[in-house]
Amino acid sequence: MPITDLLERNAKIYANDVALVEVNPAITEVRRVTWREYELMEPNPAAAYRREITWSVFNEKANRFAHLLMSRGIKKDDKVGILLMNCLEWLPIYFGILKTGAIAVPLNFRYASDEIEYCVDLADVDVLLFGPEFIGRVEEIAEKISKNRLLFYVGEGCPTFAEDYNSLVANCSSMNPDIPIIDDDFAAIYFSSGTTGFPKAILHKHRALMHSARVEQNHHGQTKDDVFLCIPPLYHTGAKMHWFGSLISGGKAVLLKGTKPEDILETVSNEKCTIVWLLVPWAQDVLMALESGKLDKDKYSLDQWRLMHIGAQPVPASLIQRWFKIFPNQQYDTNYGLSESIGPGCVHLGVENSDHVGAIGVPGYGWEVEIVDEEGKPVEKGEVGELIVKGPGVMICYYKNKKATDETVKDGWLYTGDMAQMDEDGFIWLVDRKKDVIISGGENIYPVQIESFIMKNPKVKDVAVIGLGDERLGEISAAIIELKEGMIATEEEINEFCLDLPRYKRPRKIIFAEVPRNATGKIEKPKLRETYGALNLVALENRS
């Protein structure tokens, strides 16, 4: 059945139970309101520390938006983009899109204006919703992108180049639009990128979304009594597909707008959260705050916290060992996946396998896994090959990119581009990435984009960007820069030049050296990683 049926079911069975809570620690005046109260608040309804909606209101909001879209001519297989920070409106908007039979297109909130324009054009987006954080970026491209699409603004103080979402949906029907939807209908487009840095549009059907919900519940055993704390961005498949465990069980979920250790622990305590998904940096920060005595664990109500799980990047075994010293009664899991495999869970460690921390785990529920050589033939245990996966969550295609699709999906198998090996116990370990994408704090960084930017500096002859291991972020980006003959530059000068890049794309380390290239002109990045990888070891030794 389509994923929208779960929302309809919850609205009937659990109508008055809380479905979603938004907690915003940045609001200093503590006010706790329901959505109904929130709508009546004046003059600044955003100034609420805590907002919540029930399953019934959640469904009503989705229905209202669906009717708004249909009144503007949106129909099955049209595309609606979402450019919002995590907020209480995000998921009702997402489900409102799905209820029309249209395709939801979440956008990375880190995108610059040119990237937003590129993605909405690539995905043929018909409607774009955006929040207050994106007014400036959307305004830069509004004249171009509004010629063939609608712009809806979600928030207070609607700009003149968009329409006000809040006032429009208020006058729409709250009844189910009753658009027939089946598992084989298209549901969502998510964006990914290869080492070139150009986003690819990943198309999924409703059956893939539904499978991800079943995977999540199978792996983590969500019940109606569980409370899921969601911190990562909802545009990402990981956050949303983990939340699908709450959707399928009818449990409450909490959207925390903040990553400080004290905010995480206080929210777990106040909301009685039982399941928390963290990225490595946030887990590191929590540990450091507790180990240093900055925070006192005994001041929080944490006994109900039964599961901590991590995804999006490799997890140091030492981190989990430290975690168990502070939280000895918790379960732990790690989840591996790609947007092309509808997010996390095609491989997972399993809560019963914490003695194998360091491995990404075993095939997930309903998934098949192989490790193959260059010819696509399975390798022996212990040998390194490319990890490939097969299951109901494999993407349909890269939208409008048949060549990339054919290179990635072969006979139903998704070629991940990750190099791995399987041990004698059947556990899979990542060895290296076939691609050069850098994963820093759970976010993908694409070296070619940074290299292209730095090459604009008139003093630079050549540049290569690689990832170096980092205890907290997993990896940091390092730029190896070869200057033109006779030129002199400092690290501070390059850092200042890079201020025009988005913060997360700026190199964390600058190294002035020759950039090696092979006979065909390709940068020899394995050699660079071998040469400069030792810098990380020195850094770690200095910290200890």
Side-chain angles (χ1 to χ4, degrees):
M1 65 179 179
I3 199 80
T4 47
D5 285 2
L6 291 179
L7 178 56
E8 287 287 336
R9 180 207 65 180
N10 290 352
K12 292 176 182 177
I13 300 176
Y14 310 122
N16 296 319
D17 292 349
V18 174
L20 293 172
V21 175
E22 176 198 290
V23 174
N24 187 358
I27 303 299
T28 55
E29 182 181 352
V30 177
R31 281 190 281 175
R32 300 170 182 268
V33 298
T34 66
W35 188 302
R36 302 290 192 199
E37 294 168 330
Y38 167 76
E39 290 180 319
L40 299 174
M41 288 169 62
E42 294 290 349
N44 183 14
Y49 171 83
R50 182 188 186 276
R51 299 192 286 154
E52 67 176 38
I53 55 173
T54 63
W55 284 111
S56 176
V57 174
F58 185 159
N59 193 47
E60 288 177 11
K61 294 293 181 183
N63 289 340
R64 289 183 190 277
F65 185 48
H67 282 288
L68 172 60
L69 291 174
M70 292 188 297
S71 73
R72 298 303 184 89
I74 297 302
K75 58 189 182 304
K76 186 169 286 191
D77 293 341
D78 287 342
K79 289 89 175 175
V80 182
I82 307 172
L83 183 59
L84 297 171
M85 303 296 287
N86 281 12
C87 59
L88 208 57
E89 293 81 2
W90 209 111
L91 288 165
I93 285 172
Y94 182 84
F95 274 80
I97 297 167
L98 298 184
K99 280 171 172 274
T100 68
I103 299 170
V105 186
L107 298 172
N108 188 330
F109 61 58
R110 295 179 183 270
Y111 283 157
S113 57
D114 59 338
E115 292 171 308
I116 296 169
E117 181 183 0
Y118 177 87
C119 288
V120 298
D121 285 341
L122 175 63
D124 295 323
V125 166
D126 299 285
V127 180
L128 176 64
L129 291 97
F130 66 97
E133 300 84 358
F134 309 98
I135 291 176
R137 278 175 268 179
V138 175
E139 186 173 19
E140 289 181 31
I141 56 175
E143 186 175 351
K144 289 182 284 186
I145 67 173
S146 62
K147 290 179 180 179
N148 56 355
R149 58 180 58 89
L150 300 170
L151 299 180
F152 290 150
Y153 174 75
V154 183
E156 295 300 308
C158 182
T160 57
F161 57 86
E163 297 183 75
D164 187 352
Y165 162 87
N166 289 331
S167 61
L168 291 171
V169 296
N171 297 316
C172 293
S173 170
S174 62
M175 301 300 292
N176 187 344
D178 285 328
I179 301 298
I181 301 170
I182 61 174
D183 288 346
D184 272 334
D185 284 335
F186 297 127
I189 286 176
Y190 291 90
F191 287 99
S192 182
S193 294
T195 53
T196 63
F198 293 104
K200 298 184 184 68
I202 301 162
L203 180 61
H204 282 289
K205 290 185 175 181
H206 275 270
R207 86 155 48 85
L209 272 61
M210 193 65 206
H211 181 66
S212 69
R214 295 188 179 107
V215 168
E216 178 62 19
Q217 188 177 46
N218 182 276
H219 289 175
H220 297 146
Q222 284 92 336
T223 70
K224 181 71 172 63
D225 295 329
D226 274 309
V227 179
F228 172 54
L229 177 60
C230 180
I231 307 172
L234 285 166
Y235 75 75
H236 197 281
T237 53
K240 193 175 313 81
M241 281 45 183
H242 282 312
W243 171 77
F244 279 171
S246 299
L247 176 68
I248 199 171
S249 64
K252 184 176 83 171
V254 180
L255 305 175
L256 172 60
K257 302 180 76 168
T259 62
K260 294 180 180 178
E262 56 268 36
D263 294 335
I264 293 173
L265 294 180
E266 183 174 351
T267 303
V268 171
S269 180
N270 292 344
E271 300 293 338
K272 305 303 178 188
C273 299
T274 62
I275 301 175
V276 181
W277 179 42
L278 299 174
L279 298 180
V280 166
W282 306 337
Q284 292 273 26
D285 291 344
V286 169
L287 285 174
M288 290 176 62
L290 292 172
E291 291 170 342
S292 66
K294 179 182 177 182
L295 296 179
D296 182 357
K297 178 187 170 187
D298 293 336
K299 290 185 177 181
Y300 303 95
S301 177
L302 304 175
D303 289 346
Q304 80 288 342
W305 185 358
R306 70 173 180 85
L307 171 66
M308 187 276 280
H309 58 112
I310 293 180
Q313 64 192 108
V315 183
S318 59
L319 184 152
I320 305 306
Q321 291 163 1
R322 290 164 58 203
W323 190 271
F324 280 143
K325 287 182 180 178
I326 295 178
F327 301 101
N329 298 320
Q330 277 188 15
Q331 295 176 314
Y332 168 73
D333 193 15
T334 189
N335 307 274
Y336 169 90
L338 308 87
S339 294
E340 290 88 342
S341 65
I342 205 58
C346 58
V347 179
H348 82 124
L349 184 64
V351 296
E352 69 279 10
N353 295 317
S354 57
D355 56 330
H356 283 78
V357 168
I360 59 171
V362 296
Y365 175 77
W367 286 94
E368 299 176 61
V369 173
E370 293 278 5
I371 299 175
V372 300
D373 60 21
E374 291 292 336
E375 297 178 354
K377 298 178 180 178
V379 301
E380 298 292 328
K381 285 185 176 180
E383 293 184 9
V384 175
E386 183 174 358
L387 177 64
I388 63 175
V389 300
K390 187 176 187 179
V394 170
M395 69 176 185
I396 301 304
C397 65
Y398 288 120
Y399 185 65
K400 298 196 300 189
N401 194 336
K402 185 178 185 303
K403 181 177 182 293
T405 301
D406 292 343
E407 291 172 350
T408 306
V409 181
K410 304 171 186 177
D411 296 324
W413 288 93
L414 175 68
Y415 282 66
T416 69
D418 285 325
M419 307 305 288
Q421 61 186 151
M422 182 180 291
D423 64 21
E424 289 300 319
D425 297 326
F427 286 84
I428 300 163
W429 300 72
L430 287 185
V431 176
D432 198 359
R433 280 183 298 280
K434 196 173 184 179
K435 303 174 183 179
D436 291 321
V437 177
I438 299 166
I439 302 178
S440 184
E443 287 286 343
N444 285 1
I445 299 175
Y446 305 103
V448 169
Q449 292 180 333
I450 305 173
E451 291 162 356
S452 298
F453 180 85
I454 294 177
M455 283 298 295
K456 296 177 183 178
N457 190 306
K459 293 184 178 182
V460 175
K461 175 184 177 182
D462 206 356
V463 59
V465 174
I466 61 172
L468 298 181
D470 182 82
E471 185 179 28
R472 180 173 180 270
L473 295 173
E475 287 184 304
I476 58 172
S477 58
I480 293 86
I481 296 175
E482 184 175 347
L483 297 173
K484 294 176 182 176
E485 187 174 353
M487 291 290 182
I488 298 174
T490 64
E491 182 175 345
E492 290 74 18
E493 182 179 349
I494 298 297
N495 285 332
E496 184 175 353
F497 180 79
C498 290
L499 288 177
D500 285 336
L501 282 169
R503 182 181 296 274
Y504 79 105
K505 292 184 181 180
R506 298 170 195 166
R508 296 293 191 97
K509 185 177 289 292
I510 304 296
I511 302 168
F512 293 102
E514 181 181 351
V515 176
R517 290 181 177 266
N518 63 20
T520 63
K522 295 181 180 179
I523 297 173
E524 296 182 313
K525 290 192 175 180
K527 182 182 291 185
L528 289 173
R529 282 191 284 265
E530 181 180 354
T531 301
Y532 297 107
L535 291 174
N536 180 58
L537 298 177
V538 173
L540 293 182
E541 288 173 359
N542 289 339
R543 286 186 196 175
S544 59

